[in-house]
Amino acid sequence: MKSRTVIFSAKKIITMNRSRPYATHVAVRDGRILAVGTLDEMSGWDDATLDNSFADKTLMPGFVEGHAHLLEGSMWEHVYVGYFDRCDPDGKVWPGLKSIDDVVARLAAAARELGDPSQPLLAWGFDPIFFGNGPRMSAHDLDRVSTQRPVVILHMSNHLLNVNRATLARVGIDRHTAIDGVPRDDNGDPSGELQEFAAMFPVLQLLRETVGFNFGEDRNAARNFANIARRVGITTSTDLANPLSETGIANLRAATDDPAFPIRLIPAFAPLLFKGQEGPAHLKAVCEYNTDKLRFGLVKLVIDGSIQGFTARLRWPHYYQNPGNTGSSGNGLWLLPPSQLASQLASYHREGFQVHMHTNGDEASEVAIDAVSQVLAMHPRQGHRHTLQHAQMVDGAQLARMAELGLCANFFSNHIYYWGDAHYAKTMGPERAQRMNPAASALRCGVPFGMHSDAPVTPLGPLFTAWCATNRLTLSGRVLGESERISVADALHAITLGTAWTLKMDHEIGSIECGKFADFAVLEDDPLVVAPERLKDVRVWGTVLGGRVMPVHQA
């Protein structure tokens, strides 16, 4: 049977294809783009159906989210205690909490609804950096919620958490625990704050066993995440840290096999539990399950922590204001020791995989760049496109080296709004904060880059991310690094074809041109016409995935 051709008309099509930047019509057949241009230019395709549903709308390539986590689809099962107002998947707005007392009050109300006093209470979204220079949250604060029930608060960054004394006792962390990332109080006891994976692991394991907490490995988390993504125009997203367990893979395959599943999903393998060549062999086997909507092959290595959590690794002069909780070194924590990075990178590089490295601080970025240089000297490989994720503090010299080595960057531009004031005043200081997430410098140096939300750290929303890079406004309204502002056109490129490049999928997604997947973001407004300061307010009508129309109001 002959395939059906549909021609979508639009007020404007922004193609991101330099040879044909704008059009009014796009023809779709078999889920792919057949042609782009004017209606007259479509006349050569027989038996085509004209669809005018988007005649008053703007079409763009579907947005590409290069660093997010399926946790965004499951965290709303737990209690939100963040500083900012935030909308849950059902549309309810949860007011942000402005003090530790407010956090305790919301948790106490949630605890009363749980019933069983042994059932742990999990909350998320907390960040002490917004609460001034007073004492940080302690186990004693959370003891006010319960002295029997384990109470756990995952920080907004996902790199730290706070617990009450009942939790510490349950997992066996006390004054004798010899793990870096367990700050002590004045009496020498654990303060109740746990930093990074080694210290957090026993608590995460407790949550996995008792409340089913995981890193988005269940089918419902994937579906919830995908529906949130669709509402903001995303058609392709990563899950940039997935253990790729047998159960998790089966759930992801089942979710994405559903024709109604509204995005293409790219899980990145986090090889925390694999040693030596076990990891590359496991990933190679998993790639046998690749489909058009589920793509394996990325690797995620986490080198340092969170800048606002003071666990990232910064070059001299380190932190502008050191709160005394930056690990035994006084300068953050290494999550992957520098001495081990090159060998880990090489094991995946030799097998042809693309490696994405979490580097927040500039010292971590330097270590990653050095490791890539070392590995390429031993194992030359063109087109590797290894990518520094976040890379928030890279400077001009580092960007020049990245360009020479063929490295990409994926900037966390949302940080400028959410934490820019804190970086200016507390973590980096005024000078270094001006260059954070240096998109304009990357353009000048020729480093390909995308931009991301790191959801659930910040909400999914590529147009908001583009707004951050274009305007560089902090929460207080300060312009942070005016010389690093980029144009709206460059920002839109970063959330489409730019991010697709960093995922080695630019031949399939990221622009509207013949042969690529028919994946579109359908917008009520033209982002190239609205004022740059209104870019975040551009309305998303819905998406098209492989030619299938998926409006925002779809259940």
Side-chain angles (χ1 to χ4, degrees), residues 63 65 68-77 86-91 124 220-235 237 260-263 453 455-456 458-462 540 542-543 550-552 554-555:
F63 300 139
E65 173 56 78
H69 303 277
L70 292 181
L71 273 173
E72 173 74 5
S74 60
M75 288 310 296
W76 286 103
E77 297 173 7
R86 193 141 171 184
C87 183
D88 70 18
D90 295 327
W124 64 284
N220 286 335
R223 286 178 177 143
N224 290 340
F225 176 92
N227 283 325
I228 296 168
R230 171 176 52 83
R231 292 172 194 154
V232 293
I234 294 170
T235 55
S237 178
F261 190 79
I263 65 170
S453 70
T458 69
L460 288 171
V540 176
T543 60
M550 298 183 173
V552 162
Q554 177 176 303

Side-chain angles (χ1 to χ4, degrees), residues 471-494:
N471 295 277
R472 294 187 66 91
L473 289 173
T474 69
L475 180 62
S476 69
R478 173 189 282 120
V479 176
L480 190 63
E482 185 170 5
S483 65
E484 291 295 346
R485 284 174 161 176
I486 59 176
S487 69
V488 171
D490 285 331
L492 295 178
H493 180 276

Side-chain angles (χ1 to χ4, degrees), residues 80 327 520:
Y80 175 68
F520 314 133

Side-chain angles (χ1 to χ4, degrees), residues 254-276:
T256 56
D257 281 347
D258 182 351
F261 190 79
I263 65 170
R264 305 185 195 281
L265 187 60
I266 312 169
F269 177 45
L272 294 174
L273 303 178
F274 290 83
K275 297 179 181 179

